[in-house]
Amino acid sequence: MRKTYFTPGPAELYPSVEKHYQDAFNLQLGSISHRSAQFRKIYQHTAEQLRTLLNIPESHGIFFTGSATEIWERVIQNTVEHESFHLVNGSFSKKFYDFSNELHKFAHKMEKPFGEGFDYAEITVPEYSELICTTANETASGVQMRPAEIHKLKRSNKDKFVVVDMVSSAPYPDFDFNTIDSALFSVQKSFGMPAGLGVWIANPKMLEKSLRMKTHEATIGTYHSLPTLWKNFEKYETPETPNVLAIYVLGKVAEDMNKTGIETIRKETEKKAKLLYDFAEKSSLVDIFVKNPDHRSQTVVVLNTHKPASEIIETVKNASDLVIGSGYGDFKASQIRIANFPAVNIEQVEALIAEMKKI
Amino acid sequence: MRKTYFTPGPAELYPSVEKHYQDAFNLQLGSISHRSAQFRKIYQHTAEQLRTLLNIPESHGIFFTGSATEIWERVIQNTVEHESFHLVNGSFSKKFYDFSNELHKFAHKMEKPFGEGFDYAEITVPEYSELICTTANETASGVQMRPAEIHKLKRSNKDKFVVVDMVSSAPYPDFDFNTIDSALFSVQKSFGMPAGLGVWIANPKMLEKSLRMKTHEATIGTYHSLPTLWKNFEKYETPETPNVLAIYVLGKVAEDMNKTGIETIRKETEKKAKLLYDFAEKSSLVDIFVKNPDHRSQTVVVLNTHKPASEIIETVKNASDLVIGSGYGDFKASQIRIANFPAVNIEQVEALIAEMKKI
């Protein structure tokens, strides 16, 4: 029996994904050269569809990597000469911070307890930090940081770069790419694709910084340094042989999403999130983990469970082949996580709620 | 009309690849967690099949990256504190050398003209080099370095690491993994898969070195440092969300190859290579680029053309949908490259030769 995955990544595949992979095989895209006009057209199409979907200015580069995890490393390596600053409130923002230390940078952090979020007003940015690392959606805790707050953070720190980790939220949050400098995500979350591709968006000022660092004898990496990625991007190529099939399918999925319209996707996301949070508020089975409604994620709903989480997960799976995620790390036994990505529709969310109501 | 790709990578897909991808979609492997028992079993199966196919000892780690290009970076970052040594005889071995410089190591090289290869006897290894970088098959020039020569190189340099770039040759060459320390390849060449996965094999001594470098305050990277890869590998996990589908399909392709038997694959490779070189020797259309028969690649046959290469490529493609590769870089107009990977069988090679004979 086919399952429906409400897990927060890898997640349910977007309905058209399998067909796009089938098309890719029929077009023999697994055999084409990544230095061919055919590949360059694919890269260009994907970049153009992402520009439309996320409203990315023409000036910005769009690059492909093996994972979003890789981009944490590359963005620090290429834009931080000495100091970075991290808003840490969960396992993934913590890892971003750890990477900076591992790369021998001086990493500052402002830390919040698991389940709490950040607002602009309370943040003090250390004077010499070159890069401010923010997380639009903490996949582990279900906490969001709203675009307006991140925009304010950048506006009052114009001399520093602001990068947004959009893993598990893109394309939902409406960021102004003329304000933030960079963003990153992977395809196995909200884009509903098999894992194996990261997407990095950066503005020309980041490229300038990276080039400057290189002349200052800093190590900015090799094939995936920002200058090398950008030089290849200008002709819609990649430094290495990339995941051609995933780049093709991402372009097709973004095209599908553009046909639906980003505003519709955002409204539906909010509608489905409201259904889930409303259910949790009235339920005696679960309650909402994130107390501040402004910080509640619209794409990953985290709930405390009044029974062992595994019992709820098993019951729902056995009854109707709906798969929900367990809590992250220490919260494995006491929380569930429900991904609310575009791949699942309102009927599927309603079916999940109906199933949980039976428990 | 379905084409047959004799291009040296990306290349013709192995006949079972599309079916394995279909199975992966039917099993919903694009949605499973990379922290699940289901994923760990997939990783384990792939590692076991590769161990059998390439005769890799149990002691060695088998890791997955985004590309083989990435592994050039990681192997230098993790095992070279100061100096590396590179046998350079083409564009890819040159890039490996460049990476070491870009990572601010002191990179030595011994360089040969394009089309020439290396034998053990002529190589002088600089005293303080920590890593010797060899290339089993230069995809650009069609030159091989035979396993016996690389084994001798290691035996007389036991205090240094020897890594073999097996891109475009694995699983053909029969390396003794108890002699060499490390090898790397990507899946879009001889394994006949869509690109997007690199495979890195390393022995425990390399891990020790990497751990020692870390205590010496060297930067060995973050999520794909050798210690982090190894720690995750011990439980058959990966640090990041990996290309799960490709890891699954690689295990299935390696299993298929093991059923055929590595000895059969090697013999067939040599038989097909002989057909191609024999044709070229007698032909007035082309001649063999690599003069020394010992250095002629068995997996990528490079031929000088007496007509513009593009004319031959176009004629063969239009007549019978067989796609051969152009020469690399400056040799684009005057050479063709024919991949002789396991995905193409003797009948297909004979058909290609018959088509070229008509010109």
Side-chain angles (χ1 to χ4, degrees):
Chain A
M1 180 67 185
R2 195 159 187 93
K3 296 186 183 81
T4 305
Y5 282 86
F6 286 91
T7 47
E12 181 70 14
L13 297 189
Y14 198 70
S16 57
V17 159
E18 200 175 328
K19 188 200 166 291
H20 293 316
Y21 266 92
Q22 192 54 60
D23 289 347
F25 278 106
N26 292 340
L27 293 164
Q28 296 189 271
L29 298 185
S31 301
I32 67 166
S33 167
H34 57 295
R35 304 285 173 226
S36 66
Q38 197 179 358
F39 173 73
R40 289 191 289 269
K41 267 187 201 164
I42 290 170
Y43 191 149
Q44 186 177 359
H45 176 261
T46 303
E48 284 170 356
Q49 293 298 328
L50 288 175
R51 274 192 212 286
T52 303
L53 189 69
L54 300 172
N55 200 15
I56 304 165
E58 282 298 328
S59 52
H60 291 38
I62 301 175
F63 318 109
F64 301 112
T65 67
S67 62
T69 305
E70 182 184 346
I71 306 169
W72 290 341
E73 183 182 88
R74 302 302 180 191
V75 71
I76 293 165
Q77 212 168 30
N78 277 274
T79 64
V80 179
E81 213 159 347
H82 306 291
E83 300 187 25
S84 62
F85 174 56
H86 303 257
L87 298 176
V88 175
N89 66 330
S91 314
F92 296 98
S93 45
K94 173 68 166 42
K95 272 189 197 167
F96 202 172
Y97 164 78
D98 291 339
F99 276 27
S100 188
N101 282 314
E102 287 189 79
L103 293 170
H104 294 194
K105 313 292 181 183
F106 192 94
H108 304 267
K109 65 176 167 177
M110 177 176 173
E111 202 160 4
K112 284 267 181 131
F114 201 77
E116 291 184 24
F118 294 98
D119 287 316
Y120 161 71
E122 60 189 336
I123 299 166
T124 310
V125 180
E127 189 178 354
Y128 295 109
S129 48
E130 299 149 71
L131 177 73
I132 303 173
C133 301
T134 67
T135 304
N137 194 66
E138 243 300 341
T139 319
S141 64
V143 168
Q144 69 172 350
M145 185 163 177
R146 288 171 301 167
E149 302 300 303
I150 294 175
H151 293 154
K152 278 187 245 170
L153 191 60
K154 170 68 195 189
R155 282 192 204 108
S156 56
N157 290 278
K158 286 195 174 148
D159 60 327
K160 304 177 195 325
F161 290 121
V162 170
V163 59
V164 183
D165 178 337
M166 292 179 77
V167 171
S168 82
S169 66
Y172 168 71
D174 190 6
F175 281 102
D176 177 3
F177 280 90
N178 282 313
T179 301
I180 63 167
D181 299 282
S182 184
L184 61 100
F185 60 88
S186 49
V187 298
Q188 77 276 11
K189 310 276 184 182
S190 287
F191 283 91
M193 286 174 51
L197 190 73
V199 180
W200 184 15
I201 301 148
N203 70 16
K205 279 190 182 165
M206 291 188 99
L207 173 64
E208 278 166 38
K209 171 80 180 270
S210 186
L211 287 165
R212 207 160 57 237
M213 281 173 65
K214 201 176 173 183
T215 61
H216 293 180
E217 297 288 311
T219 303
I220 59 170
T222 61
Y223 74 115
H224 274 179
S225 73
L226 197 46
T228 304
L229 282 167
W230 205 299
K231 202 179 138 194
N232 278 273
F233 162 70
E234 281 174 349
K235 46 184 177 176
Y236 291 118
E237 287 189 14
T238 57
E240 82 291 14
T241 317
N243 190 336
V244 176
L245 259 54
I247 293 171
Y248 167 81
V249 173
L250 176 60
K252 290 294 171 183
V253 168
E255 190 182 341
D256 295 337
M257 288 182 170
N258 281 325
K259 279 176 193 156
T260 303
I262 186 66
E263 278 317 310
T264 305
I265 289 171
R266 285 177 180 148
K267 272 183 202 146
E268 277 177 9
T269 299
E270 287 163 6
K271 209 165 158 183
K272 291 182 296 168
K274 192 174 182 307
L275 287 174
L276 286 161
Y277 284 123
D278 283 354
F279 153 72
E281 232 157 28
K282 291 172 204 147
S283 167
S284 59
L285 182 72
V286 291
D287 60 62
I288 300 168
F289 176 51
V290 178
K291 295 306 160 218
N292 183 340
D294 284 347
H295 295 166
R296 277 176 203 158
S297 168
Q298 298 296 297
T299 52
V300 179
V301 172
V302 177
L303 305 175
N304 297 315
T305 61
H306 303 156
K307 288 186 175 197
S310 58
E311 208 179 302
I312 299 174
I313 293 168
E314 281 305 307
T315 306
V316 169
K317 189 162 80 185
N318 294 337
S320 54
D321 286 305
L322 304 174
V323 185
I324 50 184
S326 58
Y328 192 86
D330 292 344
F331 295 86
K332 196 178 168 72
S334 61
Q335 292 187 345
I336 53 173
R337 288 183 298 161
I338 302 170
N340 174 35
F341 296 150
V344 292
N345 60 33
I346 290 187
E347 290 69 36
Q348 288 168 311
V349 169
E350 283 170 342
L352 173 64
I353 291 171
E355 210 54 69
M356 287 194 289
K357 278 183 178 168
K358 288 186 202 160
I359 301 176
Chain B
M1 181 65 185
R2 197 161 188 91
K3 297 187 181 79
T4 304
Y5 282 86
F6 286 90
T7 48
E12 181 70 13
L13 296 189
Y14 198 71
S16 58
V17 158
E18 199 174 330
K19 188 198 168 293
H20 293 316
Y21 266 93
Q22 192 54 59
D23 289 347
F25 278 107
N26 292 341
L27 292 165
Q28 295 188 272
L29 298 185
S31 300
I32 67 165
S33 168
H34 57 296
R35 304 285 173 228
S36 66
Q38 197 179 358
F39 174 73
R40 288 191 290 269
K41 267 187 203 164
I42 289 169
Y43 191 148
Q44 187 177 356
H45 176 262
T46 303
E48 284 170 356
Q49 293 297 329
L50 288 175
R51 272 191 214 288
T52 303
L53 189 69
L54 299 172
N55 200 16
I56 305 165
E58 282 298 328
S59 53
H60 291 37
I62 301 175
F63 318 109
F64 301 113
T65 67
S67 62
T69 305
E70 182 184 347
I71 306 170
W72 290 342
E73 183 182 89
R74 302 302 179 192
V75 72
I76 293 166
Q77 213 168 29
N78 278 273
T79 64
V80 179
E81 214 159 347
H82 306 291
E83 301 187 23
S84 62
F85 175 56
H86 303 257
L87 298 177
V88 175
N89 65 331
S91 313
F92 296 99
S93 46
K94 174 67 166 42
K95 273 189 196 166
F96 201 171
Y97 164 79
D98 291 340
F99 276 27
S100 188
N101 282 314
E102 286 188 78
L103 293 170
H104 294 194
K105 313 292 181 185
F106 192 93
H108 304 267
K109 65 176 168 179
M110 176 175 172
E111 202 160 4
K112 283 268 180 131
F114 200 77
E116 292 183 24
F118 294 97
D119 286 316
Y120 162 71
E122 61 189 335
I123 299 166
T124 311
V125 180
E127 188 178 354
Y128 295 109
S129 48
E130 299 149 71
L131 177 74
I132 303 173
C133 300
T134 67
T135 303
N137 195 65
E138 243 299 341
T139 320
S141 64
V143 169
Q144 69 173 353
M145 184 163 176
R146 289 171 300 166
E149 301 301 303
I150 294 175
H151 293 155
K152 279 186 244 171
L153 191 61
K154 170 68 195 188
R155 283 192 204 108
S156 55
N157 290 280
K158 286 196 173 147
D159 60 327
K160 305 179 195 319
F161 290 122
V162 169
V163 59
V164 183
D165 178 337
M166 291 178 77
V167 170
S168 81
S169 66
Y172 167 72
D174 189 6
F175 280 102
D176 176 3
F177 280 89
N178 282 314
T179 301
I180 63 168
D181 298 282
S182 184
L184 60 100
F185 60 88
S186 49
V187 298
Q188 76 276 9
K189 310 275 185 183
S190 287
F191 284 91
M193 286 174 50
L197 190 73
V199 180
W200 184 15
I201 300 148
N203 70 15
K205 280 191 182 166
M206 290 189 101
L207 173 64
E208 278 167 37
K209 171 79 181 271
S210 186
L211 287 165
R212 206 159 59 236
M213 281 174 66
K214 202 177 173 182
T215 62
H216 294 179
E217 297 288 311
T219 302
I220 58 169
T222 61
Y223 74 117
H224 274 180
S225 72
L226 197 47
T228 304
L229 282 167
W230 205 298
K231 202 180 137 194
N232 278 273
F233 162 69
E234 280 173 348
K235 46 184 178 178
Y236 291 118
E237 286 189 15
T238 56
E240 81 292 13
T241 317
N243 190 338
V244 176
L245 259 55
I247 293 170
Y248 167 81
V249 173
L250 176 60
K252 291 293 171 183
V253 168
E255 190 183 339
D256 295 337
M257 288 181 171
N258 282 324
K259 280 176 194 159
T260 302
I262 186 66
E263 279 316 311
T264 304
I265 290 172
R266 286 177 179 148
K267 272 181 203 149
E268 277 177 9
T269 300
E270 287 163 5
K271 207 164 159 183
K272 290 182 295 167
K274 192 173 183 306
L275 286 175
L276 287 161
Y277 284 122
D278 283 354
F279 154 74
E281 235 158 26
K282 290 171 206 149
S283 167
S284 59
L285 182 71
V286 292
D287 60 64
I288 300 168
F289 176 51
V290 178
K291 295 304 159 223
N292 184 339
D294 284 346
H295 295 165
R296 277 177 202 158
S297 168
Q298 297 297 297
T299 51
V300 179
V301 172
V302 177
L303 305 176
N304 297 316
T305 61
H306 303 156
K307 288 185 175 198
S310 58
E311 210 179 302
I312 300 174
I313 293 167
E314 281 305 306
T315 306
V316 168
K317 188 161 82 183
N318 293 337
S320 54
D321 286 304
L322 304 175
V323 185
I324 50 184
S326 59
Y328 192 88
D330 291 345
F331 295 85
K332 197 179 167 72
S334 61
Q335 291 186 345
I336 54 173
R337 289 184 297 162
I338 301 170
N340 174 34
F341 296 149
V344 292
N345 59 33
I346 289 186
E347 290 69 36
Q348 288 168 313
V349 170
E350 284 169 343
L352 173 64
I353 291 170
E355 210 54 69
M356 287 193 290
K357 279 184 178 167
K358 287 185 202 161
I359 301 176

